[in-house]
Amino acid sequence: MNHFILLFPLFLGPAFADKESQKTNQNFSSNNVSHKRLKRDWIWNQMHIKEEIDTPLPHHVGKITSSIRNNYAKYIIEGEYANTIFKVEETSGDVYAFERLDREKKAEYELTALIIDRRNNQSLEPPSKFVIKVHDINDNAPVFVQKVFNGSVPEMSPVGTSVTKVTAVDADDPTVTGHATVTYQVIKGDGYFTVDDSGVIFTTRANLDRENQSTYEIIVKAKDAPGASGDSSTATVIITLTDINDNFPVFKHPSFTFNVPENISVGGEVGRVKVEDVDEPQHRNTKYSFVRGDYRDTFEIVANPFTNEGIIRPKKPLDFEKVAEYRFDIEATDPTVDLRYFKAGGSRSISTVTIQVTDVDEPPVFTKLPYEFKVRENDPEIRTLGSVWAHDPDAAKRKIRFIRRRASPNGDYIRVSDTGIIQLPKPLDREFSSSYNITVAAQEILEDGHLSDRESHAQVHVIVTDENDNAPELVYPEEPRVCENAAPGKVIIRISATDKDEISPRGFFKYSLATEDSNFSLVENYDNTANITVKYGQFNRELAKIHYLPVIISDNGDPELSSTNTLVISVCKCNEKGNFTFCEERAKQVGVSIQALVAIFICIFTIIVFFAVITLLILLRKRHKKDLSGLGRNVAEIHEQLVTYDEEGGGEMDTTSYDVSVLNSVRKNGIKPEAVPSPYAQVQKPPGNITSGAGEMEMMIEVKKDEADNDRDLLPYDTLHIYGYEGAESIAESLSSLESGSSDSDIDYDFLNDWGPRFKMLAELYGSEPNEDFVF
């Protein structure tokens, strides 16, 4: 090991200078004489040590010395690694390493050298820093920064195309020749790729085809010394060939057959033809075309951008009766293929397509669409406009029936007969609608006489031509007013006209006054307007505050029509500038549409009918009460006794229970007395048995009972008395009479014989002469 002796001049720093000045101040004389300090130097060998020394520890590093000659001098070192890895011999200054050093872990160590007086530990010199450098011995092999590298290159690339770059790092000292110089070599896959000294990998073949092999795995070795010697390491590189469009599509089948109904819609899908393209999807741009067959105007083939399939669609309607089968050849190709890498085998793929059309029951077909007719408005002689026609396209050739489906405007303005004749039930008015549209449906008549559920539609447009049948009407934007002191010739208002009829470009309106006996005049502007002006001036508001001016407006139509319109002009007070200051308010004219008038009329009619019904019911009720009151001399004399028995037949004891005169009066007058509630209506009476052969009298009694039970609105005309004992012939064994058992009336009671056997006793009693005596 070579030893170099270096002289390092050291100067006192400010801190040490301050310390020395304190020491010297003690020796100053009274005359303040100063002494200059002598310069001293550190002296030691430059320190270097090799890494990984295999001799026994410790290893001598170097020596630190000072020019001070002091028997009590002591060397010490300070720093991060002082007295651990490095130690100094305190008297000689020799520095030793007590561990084997690794340059790849730490290449330099910085320490501080001091020399002190061992007696008082005072520094004899300022401290000095020094560095111990570790020399490299090339003990590390190159290491790749990653175990696996990835790269890509387009397929069919030329020789020398860059693929990727690999990197290996050597931890040894790069300043030492051969210690950190890395070289690369492909040891697996060198038939397809190579690598240069910088780690860039290149292709060595030009025919790398992704469709044959899409990925390559090669191994690259890195070493740090030229020649066969030196340490080395390896890494794996996975290279992927990216796709280019270098293959044409090929049909999967030599022919395709499809069945499609003839009613398929235009643009609908007939079927799909499939091709195989070994390129990746982004490089599949198949185009389909016809090569044989005259059906390009009937079908089209569109490529699906996602599946690359060819979708066959009809461009016009198919007809089984005309063409039942289509056969043609189609070609699949890719115009974007890079011809530089074109492979042998042909750029065209052809397949045969057969389309078989199946028959379906089609709806009728109209001869033309749409239909349009013209008719003069208000022409009473025109009843038939024309006809629509449709036929059955199928082989059955069924008859067709026509039906009107929709109309605009809605209403019975245009009719369609079963045979398709367009008819007018009444003349059309162009002012109501200038055109009338209907939808006509055509349906086939089946063999059983019913209509097919399949139908087709046609639009029928009826255009109404105008006739001059409306007179022009006056239009003025504001209410006309004139100052009472207006001068002659003053323009009051500018008027114009409108006409519901169609106005031709040469049409014009003529204006005139119905009378010249007024203070107004009319001046034509010859632009279909006219001015109303003051004729004499000086209106008198005392005589007339409002003037009614009739204006005649006529058109130049054929025939010429005119109308008289009244212009209401107010005479107002004005100031000196002619501004209106006061005008009388005129009654506003409010217009109401026909639809509003109809709605108002319906509401009024409904209200009238409602009140009429209520009034009629009240009158009938009053008349009913009046008729009921006339059945007897007074209400107290009318007693209708309704008695419940346990048996249906009546004996002689029952003859005093009825006042038959009341019943007879009912029969005679044909009016049923109005039932009134009985004070005993809430009493539950024992149910009676009504036989199917009950007579009219029994029915009358039941009716009267119901009326007595249910009518609670009037005072009772009838009285129903309930007793606990109703006679010997009943279970209650009690009978009460209200003195209605006889009557002095001369009425003939023979009609009681017609009321059934239950009233036979009454018929015998009241049917006899009044002076006869009856024995009970």
Side-chain angles (χ1 to χ4, degrees):
M1 181 176 182
N2 296 326
H3 294 275
F4 299 92
I5 298 176
L6 301 178
L7 182 62
F8 291 87
L10 300 174
F11 298 93
L12 294 175
F16 293 99
D18 183 70
K19 188 175 182 180
E20 289 294 329
S21 65
Q22 293 177 2
K23 293 179 181 180
T24 56
N25 284 338
Q26 299 175 1
N27 300 322
F28 280 170
S29 60
S30 60
N31 59 0
N32 199 19
V33 179
S34 63
H35 299 276
K36 185 178 293 184
R37 192 173 188 276
L38 296 177
K39 182 179 179 182
R40 297 170 181 173
D41 296 321
W42 280 99
I43 302 173
W44 62 76
N45 293 330
Q46 184 177 4
M47 297 184 186
H48 297 274
I49 186 173
K50 287 186 177 182
E51 65 173 335
E52 302 293 347
I53 300 175
D54 55 358
T55 59
L57 294 172
H59 301 149
H60 186 265
V61 179
K63 185 181 181 67
I64 58 175
T65 59
S66 175
S67 60
I68 294 178
R69 296 294 178 261
N70 190 330
N71 294 330
Y72 301 101
K74 177 182 178 181
Y75 294 98
I76 61 175
I77 59 175
E78 293 180 351
E80 180 180 1
Y81 302 97
N83 302 317
T84 54
I85 298 178
F86 300 100
K87 294 181 181 180
V88 64
E89 208 284 324
E90 60 183 18
T91 57
S92 63
D94 291 319
V95 179
Y96 294 89
F98 284 80
E99 292 183 8
R100 288 182 173 82
L101 303 180
D102 188 353
R103 194 202 68 84
E104 285 70 40
K105 291 183 179 180
K106 191 170 182 64
E108 293 182 352
Y109 297 87
E110 186 177 277
L111 300 174
T112 302
L114 298 95
I115 183 170
I116 63 175
D117 190 335
R118 68 178 66 246
R119 293 173 298 178
N120 52 18
N121 292 330
Q122 295 293 326
S123 296
L124 301 178
E125 287 291 340
S128 177
K129 294 183 179 181
F130 65 97
V131 176
I132 300 174
K133 292 185 178 182
V134 182
H135 284 180
D136 185 47
I137 61 172
N138 194 16
D139 59 341
N140 291 278
V143 177
F144 284 96
V145 295
Q146 57 195 63
K147 289 294 183 181
V148 178
F149 293 85
N150 292 283
S152 63
V153 62
E155 63 173 331
M156 311 302 292
S157 296
V159 175
T161 302
S162 174
V163 178
T164 187
K165 183 178 181 180
V166 295
T167 302
V169 178
D170 195 331
D172 292 324
D173 190 356
T175 60
V176 181
T177 303
H179 283 200
T181 302
V182 181
T183 59
Y184 301 93
Q185 179 184 0
V186 177
I187 60 176
K188 178 185 176 182
D190 55 344
Y192 305 99
F193 302 95
T194 186
V195 61
D196 61 8
D197 291 339
S198 64
V200 178
I201 299 176
F202 300 93
T203 59
T204 59
R205 296 178 61 177
N207 59 349
L208 298 178
D209 192 353
R210 187 196 68 86
E211 286 72 37
N212 294 331
Q213 184 176 348
S214 60
T215 59
Y216 292 85
E217 184 177 305
I218 65 174
I219 296 178
V220 179
K221 181 176 73 172
K223 61 179 182 177
D224 63 354
S229 61
D231 296 328
S232 64
S233 63
T234 60
T236 300
V237 181
I238 299 176
I239 300 174
T240 302
L241 299 183
T242 58
D243 184 49
I244 64 172
N245 194 5
D246 59 342
N247 294 277
F248 286 96
V250 178
F251 283 108
K252 290 186 176 182
H253 305 286
S255 63
F256 297 89
T257 301
F258 304 101
N259 293 321
V260 59
E262 63 175 335
N263 62 346
I264 184 174
S265 60
V266 175
E269 183 176 324
V270 174
R272 299 191 176 197
V273 293
K274 298 182 179 181
V275 296
E276 183 178 7
D277 192 337
V278 294
D279 290 325
E280 291 186 351
Q282 68 271 19
H283 294 140
R284 297 171 186 171
N285 302 298
T286 304
K287 301 297 180 183
Y288 298 91
S289 59
F290 296 91
V291 293
R292 282 187 294 274
D294 300 328
Y295 300 115
R296 298 182 183 181
D297 59 339
T298 306
F299 298 97
E300 64 178 353
I301 305 178
V302 181
N304 187 314
F306 302 102
T307 63
N308 210 33
E309 298 172 316
I311 304 174
I312 302 176
R313 296 192 179 104
K315 296 170 62 177
K316 63 182 182 180
L318 305 181
D319 192 346
F320 172 80
E321 286 72 26
K322 293 182 179 179
V323 180
E325 182 179 281
Y326 296 88
R327 187 185 300 272
F328 47 84
D329 292 341
I330 58 174
E331 176 190 10
T333 186
D334 188 347
T336 61
V337 169
D338 194 340
L339 298 179
R340 294 177 301 171
Y341 310 112
F342 170 68
K343 303 181 181 67
S347 62
R348 303 176 64 190
S349 180
I350 297 175
S351 181
T352 301
V353 176
T354 302
I355 299 176
Q356 297 176 351
V357 182
T358 58
D359 187 24
V360 296
D361 186 11
E362 300 175 273
V365 177
F366 283 92
T367 54
K368 68 173 184 178
L369 293 173
Y371 292 86
E372 184 174 296
F373 303 96
K374 290 186 178 181
V375 61
R376 296 193 307 274
E377 69 169 328
N378 300 323
D379 191 340
E381 298 181 357
I382 300 177
R383 287 292 181 264
T384 301
L385 298 181
S387 62
V388 295
W389 181 252
H391 67 279
D392 183 7
D394 298 320
K397 302 301 179 185
R398 299 187 181 100
K399 293 182 179 181
I400 307 300
R401 180 173 294 177
F402 299 92
I403 304 171
R404 195 189 79 164
R405 289 299 187 203
R406 290 178 295 274
S408 176
N410 192 20
D412 188 22
Y413 301 105
I414 301 175
R415 296 176 181 175
V416 180
S417 67
D418 293 345
T419 58
I421 299 176
I422 308 299
Q423 300 171 335
L424 296 180
K426 59 183 179 181
L428 302 179
D429 186 4
R430 195 201 69 86
E431 283 68 47
F432 175 74
S433 179
S434 60
S435 64
Y436 295 79
N437 304 313
I438 64 171
T439 301
V440 179
Q443 291 180 296
E444 299 176 4
I445 303 176
L446 302 177
E447 287 74 8
D448 56 0
H450 293 84
L451 296 179
S452 172
D453 57 352
R454 300 180 62 82
E455 63 180 43
S456 56
H457 301 90
Q459 300 298 323
V460 177
H461 307 291
V462 178
I463 300 175
V464 183
T465 59
D466 186 44
E467 295 291 327
N468 193 24
D469 57 346
N470 292 276
E473 298 176 356
L474 180 65
V475 176
Y476 50 93
E478 59 184 9
E479 296 179 356
R481 296 180 296 177
V482 62
C483 294
E484 61 179 342
N485 57 352
K490 172 67 176 179
V491 177
I492 300 174
I493 192 171
R494 184 187 183 98
I495 62 174
S496 60
T498 182
D499 196 333
K500 294 180 180 179
D501 294 321
E502 185 178 357
I503 301 176
S504 64
R506 297 182 180 180
F508 61 89
F509 300 114
K510 293 183 294 184
Y511 303 87
S512 61
L513 297 179
T515 176
E516 297 295 332
D517 188 14
S518 67
N519 196 11
F520 302 97
S521 61
L522 186 147
V523 179
E524 286 270 8
N525 295 324
Y526 301 102
D527 60 351
N528 283 336
T529 64
N531 291 336
I532 302 298
T533 61
V534 178
K535 189 174 184 180
Y536 304 113
Q538 296 301 322
F539 294 90
N540 190 348
R541 281 175 48 85
E542 301 298 330
L543 297 177
K545 298 178 181 179
I546 296 176
H547 293 264
Y548 298 93
L549 182 64
V551 179
I552 300 175
I553 307 175
S554 60
D555 57 22
N556 64 335
D558 185 17
E560 181 178 305
L561 299 178
S562 63
S563 65
T564 301
N565 303 264
T566 301
L567 193 62
V568 182
I569 303 176
S570 300
V571 179
C572 304
K573 294 181 180 181
C574 299
N575 56 20
E576 295 178 355
K577 296 182 180 180
N579 298 326
F580 299 107
T581 59
F582 177 75
C583 292
E584 276 73 18
E585 291 291 336
R586 293 185 299 172
K588 299 292 183 179
Q589 294 183 355
V590 180
V592 182
S593 63
I594 296 177
Q595 292 82 355
L597 290 175
V598 171
I600 294 172
F601 175 76
I602 292 174
C603 294
I604 295 174
F605 179 76
T606 303
I607 295 172
I608 292 173
V609 171
F610 176 76
F611 281 106
V613 171
I614 297 299
T615 304
L616 181 61
L617 292 176
I618 294 174
L619 292 176
L620 290 176
R621 189 179 186 88
K622 290 182 178 180
R623 182 178 178 184
H624 188 66
K625 293 179 182 179
K626 182 177 180 181
D627 292 339
L628 184 61
S629 62
L631 291 177
R633 284 178 291 276
N634 53 61
V635 175
E637 295 179 357
I638 302 176
H639 302 284
E640 181 180 356
Q641 309 300 328
L642 301 181
V643 184
T644 303
Y645 294 93
D646 291 335
E647 61 182 27
E648 297 182 359
E652 293 181 354
M653 297 181 182
D654 300 332
T655 56
T656 61
S657 300
Y658 297 96
D659 187 353
V660 185
S661 61
V662 177
L663 299 176
N664 189 40
S665 64
V666 173
R667 183 175 183 269
K668 182 177 179 180
N669 295 326
I671 301 174
K672 292 192 299 182
E674 183 176 357
V676 295
S678 170
Y680 306 99
Q682 302 299 323
V683 179
Q684 182 67 34
K685 295 180 287 294
N689 298 326
I690 302 175
T691 62
S692 60
E696 296 181 0
M697 188 61 185
E698 184 179 4
M699 294 175 61
M700 178 64 70
I701 292 175
E702 292 297 329
V703 171
K704 299 299 292 181
K705 287 169 61 180
D706 292 338
E707 293 177 353
D709 289 341
N710 299 323
D711 192 351
R712 298 178 179 273
D713 298 331
L714 300 175
L715 294 175
Y717 289 104
D718 305 322
T719 304
L720 177 64
H721 296 275
I722 306 296
Y723 295 92
Y725 183 76
E726 296 184 7
E729 299 299 326
S730 67
I731 299 176
E733 298 181 357
S734 175
L735 180 62
S736 174
S737 174
L738 297 180
E739 298 179 357
S740 62
S742 63
S743 175
D744 56 355
S745 175
D746 57 353
I747 300 175
D748 185 7
Y749 293 99
D750 290 339
F751 64 88
L752 294 175
N753 294 318
D754 301 332
W755 285 13
R758 296 186 180 183
F759 299 93
K760 184 178 181 181
M761 180 61 71
L762 289 176
E764 291 177 354
L765 290 175
Y766 288 89
S768 303
E769 292 296 330
N771 56 1
E772 273 186 86
D773 294 330
F774 295 95
V775 179
F776 296 94

